[in-house]
Amino acid sequence: MALVPEEEPLHVFNLPQLYSRPSALALRAALDLLAIKPSSWGVDNGLASLAQRRVDSEGVTAYLTSIVASSLAWLDESEQVAIWELASQRLSERSGRSAQSALTRTFDIAVNTTDVSSSVLIIIHEPALTSDNLGLKTWCAAYLLSRRLRAIAPIRSHRVLELGAGTGLVGIAAAIVWGSAVHLTDLPEIVPNLAANIEANSVMIAGSGGSALAGVLDWGDVEASVDKFGTIVVADPIYSPEHPRLLVQAVGKCLSRQRDARLLIELPLRDEYAREIVELKDRMQRLGLAIKDESEETGRDDWGPTDALTEVRCWHATYEWARSSYSSSDR
């Protein structure tokens, strides 16, 4: 069968030019062509570009800026507003995730170790971001840990706790891939979106035999009598000097002391938090947890000043209690 040659991308000169006073319909069609789809890092091993580019990127920013700056005097007022808003949205899509409005991503997560084509599409909504609510973004480490779950055998008797669940990708994936009962937790301002994402994937969760529940858990305010969990999962938990101490404190109070209890952690190796990562490992050891296995891997993330995906080196570890630290009586 002959291959169909790939269509040459358009140039901005092929799009409606303002000097020709194009209609609102023509401008809207052009702006739709320039839309950048949210990255889910779930195609081609996470190396997919942010968009199926049908227009050469050269000159696009200038083209969009000219639309925003134009009076669009030949259009009526409602059309002007609609076109300005669309053009502004296209510009924000090219300014990195922090500049974008709310979006919904779809993550393709494998569920079977022997059949790589067996996967589920997990829907994750992210509200618009500000510097103080970064838990509302799905980070590279969460995707990498979610993708790893299929290779880790579930322990059927374990309830699973996710600490710092954020948008919930890891916990939702655990409920689906493992068929486990998962409690996803975060701070109060994060939980409403977390709960909404659980609901958006509820049919797949129930179909897998799992369950998922969202709740508030502040690492600095965990009661000693809190329920114990056989498995804890956590992704990208360090972005403050206080986090190693608080995270290990929460793990110590929430992780069962049974022999098969385990903690799965994935975090990016950011230079600015290298000291905190060392501290985290030291505190885990002092708590009585030992690394069963660890590895490093490279993923992609869309956090930055442009729409380009950037490489992120991440560290994964599975922790278990050292022989002297577990108890057969703890459930």
Side-chain angles (χ1 to χ4, degrees):
M1 178 183 294
L3 294 177
V4 178
E6 186 173 331
E7 188 177 4
E8 286 290 325
L10 294 170
H11 191 277
V12 290
F13 294 142
N14 302 120
L15 301 178
Q17 302 299 306
L18 296 182
Y19 69 80
S20 67
R21 300 164 67 90
S23 67
L25 183 62
L27 285 171
R28 183 182 291 274
L31 292 170
D32 286 344
L33 277 178
L34 296 173
I36 292 179
K37 298 177 181 179
S39 170
S40 68
W41 319 305
V43 182
D44 298 330
N45 295 321
L47 303 181
S49 67
L50 282 170
Q52 298 295 324
R53 302 217 184 256
R54 301 169 61 188
V55 179
D56 192 306
S57 61
E58 184 180 358
V60 168
T61 299
Y63 179 76
L64 293 170
T65 302
S66 70
I67 294 175
V68 173
S70 171
S71 67
L72 303 178
W74 61 94
L75 304 179
D76 66 40
E77 186 175 349
S78 63
E79 291 174 333
Q80 291 169 353
V81 172
I83 296 302
W84 287 330
E85 288 181 350
L86 269 181
S88 297
Q89 185 175 344
R90 297 293 91 89
L91 280 170
S92 73
E93 290 166 357
R94 289 162 171 78
S95 302
R97 178 63 187 98
S98 61
Q100 296 180 36
S101 58
L103 56 80
T104 299
R105 306 181 194 263
T106 303
F107 291 90
D108 190 355
I109 302 297
V111 298
N112 192 300
T113 56
T114 57
D115 181 6
V116 295
S117 65
S118 176
S119 62
V120 294
L121 295 177
I122 297 177
I123 299 169
I124 297 294
H125 177 72
E126 299 178 6
L129 302 181
T130 63
S131 60
D132 60 350
N133 67 355
L134 298 181
L136 296 175
K137 181 195 181 305
T138 306
W139 298 92
C140 169
Y143 170 67
L144 293 178
L145 182 53
S146 299
R147 192 177 61 174
R148 180 183 291 273
L149 295 179
R150 71 185 178 95
I152 301 173
I155 300 176
R156 294 300 179 187
S157 62
H158 280 191
R159 291 186 306 137
V160 179
L161 172 68
E162 183 176 10
L163 294 172
T167 62
L169 177 61
V170 176
I172 292 169
I176 295 171
V177 175
W178 290 344
S180 298
V182 184
H183 190 188
L184 297 83
T185 63
D186 214 306
L187 296 173
E189 60 270 23
I190 304 297
V191 168
N193 184 65
L194 178 57
N197 282 335
I198 292 173
E199 178 61 28
N201 295 279
S202 59
V203 172
M204 284 190 298
I205 293 171
S208 70
S211 63
L213 174 69
V216 173
L217 193 151
D218 186 331
W219 300 349
D221 188 26
V222 182
E223 298 291 338
S225 59
V226 72
D227 288 348
K228 302 298 188 290
F229 294 82
T231 297
I232 292 179
V233 294
V234 58
D236 203 347
I238 296 178
Y239 45 94
S240 162
E242 293 297 311
H243 284 161
R245 176 182 62 83
L246 293 174
L247 175 60
V248 174
Q249 174 181 295
V251 169
K253 292 181 179 179
C254 296
L255 185 63
S256 164
R257 292 276 175 166
Q258 290 179 293
R259 175 182 294 188
D260 61 357
R262 61 189 179 178
L263 165 70
L264 308 179
I265 186 169
E266 183 109 19
L267 55 82
L269 298 172
R270 299 187 180 103
D271 291 341
E272 61 266 37
Y273 290 115
R275 182 176 299 178
E276 283 76 12
I277 294 173
V278 172
E279 179 187 347
L280 176 71
K281 293 178 180 180
D282 178 64
R283 285 182 178 273
M284 289 289 191
Q285 183 176 17
R286 283 188 278 147
L287 181 63
L289 287 166
I291 295 176
K292 178 186 178 184
D293 61 71
E294 62 180 326
S295 61
E296 292 186 14
E297 57 187 331
T298 299
R300 300 292 188 275
D301 211 327
D302 60 353
W303 184 256
T306 71
D307 63 340
L309 291 174
T310 56
E311 282 196 354
V312 181
R313 193 69 180 164
C314 291
W315 171 73
H316 166 78
T318 299
Y319 278 92
E320 296 181 342
W321 291 115
R323 182 178 295 274
S324 61
S325 300
Y326 62 74
S327 168
S328 61
S329 62
D330 193 9
R331 299 184 185 278

